[in-house]
Every structure is written in C-alpha cells, then in structure tokens.
Amino acid sequence: IAGITQAPTSQILAAGRRMTLRCTQDMRHNAMYWYRQDLGLGLRLIHYSNTAGTTGKGEVPDGYSVSRANTDDFPLTLASAVPSQTSVYFCASSDSAVSTDTQYFGPGTRLTVL
Amino acid sequence: LAKTTQPISMDSYEGQEVNITCSHNNIATNDYITWYQQFPSQGPRFIIQGYKTKVTNEVASLFIPADRKSSTLSLPRVSLSDTAVYYCLVARTGGFKTIFGAGTRLFVKA
C-alpha cells in the first residue's frame, strides 16, 4: 500500500510560471489537505477538501487553487508562481474531515521559485 | 481552536526519558490533544491523542491534568532515531481544520 504519493519530489521554477503539484492517495479517504512548511513556521493549511467535489480555504490560500474531481486525487496549482511560494508542500488525507481523525502525510514536494 | 505553546527545542541523551510540555490555555470542552512527529525530509506522522488523564501506546505516553490547560508528551528511553520535531495540536470534535504550530525540535545525542 503506497498511502499518499506526491509528485514531483522537488522542482525549481521561474517566477511567473504555472505549476501543479500532484497528490494521490490509495486509502479511499474522504478528506484531503495541502500544507506548506516554512522554517520556523511549522505547517500551515493552504486548502482542504472534505469529500470529492468540495474544497475549502485554509490559513494561507492566496495564490493557490485546488480541485477534487475524484476521491483519490487532489492537485494544487500555483497559477503564477512567486518567490514567496518557495516552500516544502505536504499533502495529507484522513478518513473523514473531522479534525480528531488521524492525518496521513505524503513525503512532500520541495519547491523553489526563482 | 485553542492556540498551543511548546518549547522551540530540547536536547537529550540516549536512554533518557524526555517530557515535552504543551500549553493550551483556551482549550474547549470538545477539544482533543493530539501529537505528531516529523523526521527530517518526511511528512508528520500521528503519535498519540488524548482527552484527559493518561494515554499510553507503544510509542509514547500522554499526560493531561484535570484542567486540561496543558499536556505532556513522554518518550521513554529515547534513542538517536527519536530526533525529530514534535507538534502539539488541539483538534475539535466535529471540526475539520487542524492548526500546527512550530513544534518542538528534539535532538537526541549519543
């Protein structure tokens, strides 16, 4: 069982370019999340999805968009990347959207925007 | 959701017991305390969750006093491989947003 996979592992991107980070889970979890992790700031929630077809904004949603066309996939898109979006991005999933449910995290994508 | 405060970093030696305390003064009645562990270059992983008194599993123990305004994660006999960042979270029953703070960076020395 793979759990959660993320792609790419790392990426260097020129400012202004469009980028989609991919996330796939095989646990049939209803809820999925995108976090960014910056040094000294812990993890901050960007967007979440309670179930396929629905999405919501987290703590730092500006400059990012998500879609949830099916249960397994939850891509994160940067429409026009800026250097402040340089970060490590983690995708996570949980059985339900209840916050007491355990979240399972992917290995992360390290993104550098120049 | 209640804000959590925990030490930025801690050092320990192999074989020692490590206690990491987290304060959450504004915890609500339907909030649970949850801890995650994150190794370098990996995503966080769930360690333990509790509501009150004491919870123990194969990895750690969680002590929560009666007023629930703080909690202590206890790691028995740490090894070098326990070097990681430990996050204390308050999760609300029925809620769906989880707020991670900056965590406590534990460094275990030989």
Side-chain angles (χ1 to χ4, degrees):
Chain A
I1 297 176
I4 293 189
T5 57
Q6 293 185 236
T9 303
S10 66
Q11 180 77 43
I12 298 174
L13 189 67
R17 298 295 295 270
R18 181 184 179 89
M19 175 74 191
T20 295
L21 308 185
R22 298 184 299 280
C23 174
T24 300
Q25 54 107 355
D26 64 3
M27 297 175 281
R28 308 301 295 172
H29 283 169
N30 287 302
M32 297 187 75
Y33 314 83
W34 274 106
Y35 293 90
R36 61 176 288 174
Q37 185 170 41
D38 304 295
L39 195 63
L41 293 177
L43 289 104
R44 292 183 291 170
L45 182 66
I46 305 172
H47 284 288
Y48 64 91
S49 169
N50 293 339
T51 188
T54 68
T55 62
K57 293 182 180 180
E59 211 180 333
V60 289
D62 294 342
Y64 306 95
S65 63
V66 292
S67 61
R68 187 89 184 275
N70 58 59
T71 297
D72 299 342
D73 301 299
F74 191 43
L76 176 74
T77 298
L78 289 68
S80 178
V82 295
S84 61
Q85 292 177 311
T86 293
S87 188
V88 180
Y89 291 85
F90 288 100
C91 179
S93 72
S94 61
D95 188 32
S96 76
V98 173
S99 63
T100 49
D101 265 8
T102 299
Q103 291 189 30
Y104 297 85
F105 285 79
T109 292
R110 184 174 295 275
L111 180 67
T112 302
V113 182
L114 302 175
Chain B
L1 287 175
K3 184 179 184 305
T4 60
T5 303
Q6 53 184 123
I8 294 173
S9 66
M10 295 179 69
D11 288 345
S12 182
Y13 288 93
E14 279 190 295
Q16 289 187 332
E17 178 184 76
V18 171
N19 295 308
I20 306 174
T21 297
C22 177
S23 66
H24 24 78
N25 291 320
N26 297 321
I27 193 167
T29 303
N30 55 346
D31 289 344
Y32 279 71
I33 297 117
T34 309
W35 287 79
Y36 281 78
Q37 174 190 54
Q38 185 178 24
F39 296 116
S41 301
Q42 294 185 27
R45 67 166 190 158
F46 172 87
I47 304 177
I48 198 165
Q49 184 179 80
Y51 184 79
K52 62 180 178 181
T53 61
K54 178 183 174 184
V55 180
T56 297
N57 63 22
E58 65 278 4
V59 176
S61 294
L62 179 60
F63 298 92
I64 305 166
D67 67 6
R68 305 200 325 122
K69 292 184 183 299
S70 66
S71 59
T72 299
L73 176 74
S74 180
L75 305 171
R77 298 180 299 281
V78 294
S79 64
L80 297 176
S81 62
D82 290 315
T83 293
V85 178
Y86 293 82
Y87 295 95
C88 166
L89 322 171
V90 171
R92 178 154 299 165
T93 310
F96 52 82
K97 288 184 185 179
T98 306
I99 298 178
F100 286 78
T104 297
R105 186 172 298 275
L106 172 67
F107 185 67
V108 180
K109 297 180 271 192

